[in-house]
Amino acid sequence: MKKLEDWLTWALSPSISAILVTLIFSLTLPILIHTYLYKRAVAKELPTFLLLGPSGAGKTSLLTLLANGTPSPTHTSQAPQTAICQLPSTTRSSEDKYRSENDTSSRSQPSIQLLDTPGHGKLRHHAISSLTFPTALKGLLFVVDSAVLSSAAGLTETAEFLYDVLLLLQKRHTQGKTSKTPLAIPVLLVANKQDVFTSLPAGLVKSKLEEELGKVRQTRSKGLLDSGIGMDDDGEADEESSWLGEYGANGFKFAQMREHGVDLEVVGTSTSGEGEGEGEGRGHECWSWIGANV
Amino acid sequence: MLDGFEILTTSGIVLWRRHYTPISSSLIDSLVRDVFIEEKQKPGGGENGAPSYKKDRYTLRWTSAKDVGLVFVAVYQSLLHLSWIESLLTAVKGLFIKAYGQELKAAHTLKVNTAQWDPTFDALVNRLDTGSTRRQSDTIDSEGPTELTPPSSSAGDDADEPPPVPAPLFRKPAIPIKRDDLVGDSTSTDATPIPTPDTSRPATPGHAPSHLLTAKGGPGKASRRSRKAQTFNASAPASSGDESSPGHNLKGGAKTAAKGKRRWDVDGMAIEGDDDGVLDYSAPATPGPDSTERELDVAEVNTSQMGSRTGKGQFVLKDLDDEVDAILASSSKPQQRSNATDDTTGSGLLASASSRLTSLFRNVVGGKTLTKADLQLPLQQMQTHLLSKNVAPEAANRLCQAVETDLLDQKTANYTSIESTIRDSMTKALTRMLTPTSSLDLLREVTSITSGQGAPARPYVISIVGVNGVGKSTNLSKIAFFLLQNHFRVLVVAGDTFRSGAVEQLRVHVRNLSALSQREGVGKVELFEKGYGKDAATVARDAVAFATNKGAQPPGGSGQMLYDVVLIDTAGRRHNDSRLMSSLTKFGQLANPDKVFMVGEALVGTDSVAQARNFAKEFVDTKGKLRNNGVGMDGFIISKCDTVGDMVGTLVSMVHATGIPVVFLGVGQHYGDLRGLNVGWAVDKLMK
């Protein structure tokens, strides 16, 4: 007890040593707390790119190609899969936009996370939930099977899924609850399986899908009301909000989505064909788009 | 004979595959789709937990490992009956997870290095494959059972060849007979070519101290037989493999005492008097000064780890086969193990109270690993809840089973109780069951058929079936109203030729609808009827022909079709009345509808399951195959949903029974009261 009293007396007295101790303590304690807190919070989220598309398009195959360099054989996916990979050295990322080509300083390529989701109708909720609760989602790769688009059934299925996805993005953009609009997510339409004989080239894929999306939005607007019509409080019965693209326009074009912040590009690729050229490996079209949008 | 074996992850990546004959990848795709995703096959079928799936003349058996997310699939022709496939699947699962389990549990693993797996798999197949269905292996089998003496040891004068090679060539015919005894035996065969200690095979002098043989074979070309006789007579009996046994010592010493060293020159004459030459090239018999170092180099070996002693006193090494046996034995008695772990570790009042407190705590805070006992009571409550929502007991049972298999041995997330975990899992299971594989867009389909893309234009035929009094005619007129609003020309066919007043009822509906459509200037609707007592199938066929209008050539107009959509009403019938149900088959074949919708009322209880099943199996085409990819019908219309409030369990029962999706809901008795199904809404109502 006596020792405690003595110590307290010393601590509250105006002696030099007490002042010094207090000074040191008060200066170092915040620094220690800061390093402790910020060391824990270092886990930064990697930019994520979501792979989605109808079943059989080649999403899982594309994932293995981008992550490993060579595609593995795959079957229908039942569960989503993530993979972390680094941009290949030949791709320029958006950080290096203003660097000269001859710049020889070493730079480490950014790493990204790829999220592959199942394409089967019953399991599309994985893809949709990743869209509605995005965590650092930087872009979307919508993979389609170019060969199956020449048949009516395949075209319909692809167009309906694409319609759902684009409508979701549009609603996210136009109906934000705050005045700050959420970040726009660019979309890359990957026309896969270009090596198959009956596949359509990328330009034709784009125009066919535009035409089909126009038809789909026509029938969806005239279709039956949903049974869950009283559920949402936002008053979803507004016709304009569920019309994709430009309201009242005749045909649908992907350029109409640009005003809603959805930038759509189309590339053709093939995961199982031979690589083109020595300088670029397979999947380089995807890499260049990913690099530009990281 | 196995056609193929694949190991794939739940995300679809093939980690390893072995195809003995080319197999198309669509086989396993359809297995995943039909069994795992769409759940068309009831789980638990098949013997010993390796369920089977048949497609295209192939049979696929599989097993899955939920914790690492792997599926193991074996493919073979349906004509064969391979009884060893279950044990192969179990053994492969055990060994693969043991070898690669750690790698797979780490996140983001897309592939594993499976270079060492190939020989393991080959050895496994060779071991488990029995008798006539065995595939001839390419490599020479260098293993052999210890009981079989290599025939070449007694026969064969080929002194130049070292003993082991000719032996397997003679062993092959004996194997199929002996194998069956050996599979269950604990004496293992030497599957891997590791150098065995000399004394493990005392009965096979050919394999006896090999180093002795090679050394002595050089200078002195004595015949093999005499050499063998020497070593056989002089070698020590089975002991602990000590190279420096006294027997060898004696042998060496005795020889030098009894005989002078004999050497031969090229002419075949004996060279005398060279006692200093060393002729014995064997390892030093006496423990020399350097042998202690060698003893020290030998690490401490745990003999029980390396192998075991058989009943005959032989020390046989543990290897692949033992591991396989252990896995197979453990898989066949899982019940005893799980029962044993149920015993509480602590005893006494304090221990049980503290364990209950911790379990309560864990229940609230989360992080608890779920066992069967934990899940039992909450799942029971969940099942009662579903039954109170008018879900059939069979469907509720299946959903609870699915949730249980999903959640067993999983950890709850932070700050979630068991109940909320079960709720989440049940919501997911319900969503998955109710979500259709491809949603129906009726307007698009009608437009594409009637505008004639790819096929000549023809009317779109829809027929409505169901038991008595569910609301077929009412819902048919609702669909007609919807189609009329979209500017189609509709023909309503009175296919109910039995019930009094059925035709008049439809006439009233058509009159109302045409008045409504004329007022708004959309579409055209007409009634096609042939009175009472006729056969419904012929009425339907005539109606479709009338709508198509192929034959008629009215003046001034080409043979264009008169109507876009044909809606056929049928008589209500009890699903257990076989005579009436069989007439549906003929109806389906003659009318050939594009869509067959069955109406079920939301008020029906357990009967819905039987109704759905009986109606679905009636719609077969002329070849005997169920239409619409083997399910029979195209969709359900659940009527009278406004009368039940929250208790919409009939949706679940009917989808569970057949796998056919629900396309429309009837929510009232006016023409506009038709809605599509919103899965989130339905699941919400069920879980409320």
Side-chain angles (χ1 to χ4, degrees), chain B residues 52-207:
Chain B
S52 69
Y53 169 78
K54 290 200 202 317
K55 185 172 169 89
D56 285 350
R57 281 186 296 199
Y58 284 98
T59 302
L60 288 84
R61 313 278 303 262
W62 76 90
T63 178
S64 55
K66 209 162 38 91
D67 44 348
V68 285
L70 287 180
V71 180
F72 303 86
V73 185
V75 185
Y76 57 94
Q77 302 268 351
S78 289
L79 293 171
L80 303 173
H81 175 67
L82 303 178
S83 54
W84 48 277
I85 291 286
E86 296 107 50
S87 20
L88 175 69
L89 284 169
T90 327
V92 167
K93 175 167 149 182
L95 289 172
F96 196 83
I97 293 179
K98 198 194 283 196
Y100 298 103
Q102 283 305 105
E103 274 184 64
L104 289 166
K105 286 216 172 98
H108 310 301
T109 323
L110 288 185
K111 66 179 190 179
V112 289
N113 185 5
T114 50
Q116 286 97 18
W117 181 252
D118 289 332
T120 319
F121 183 78
D122 284 329
L124 205 54
V125 170
N126 282 333
R127 184 167 180 263
L128 289 174
D129 197 349
T130 50
S132 57
T133 54
R134 184 183 178 182
R135 179 179 285 275
Q136 198 75 353
S137 57
D138 295 333
T139 59
I140 288 182
D141 214 353
S142 62
E143 58 196 311
T146 50
E147 287 77 18
L148 285 183
T149 59
S152 62
S153 65
S154 44
D157 279 322
D158 38 353
D160 295 330
E161 286 190 56
V165 169
L169 292 172
F170 288 97
R171 268 190 228 139
K172 268 228 169 20
I175 286 173
I177 308 159
K178 286 284 180 190
R179 275 282 183 214
D180 299 286
D181 308 327
L182 289 175
V183 167
D185 225 348
S186 64
T187 51
S188 74
T189 60
D190 208 3
T192 53
I194 36 174
T196 63
D198 315 325
T199 49
S200 70
R201 290 210 176 88
T204 59
H207 288 277

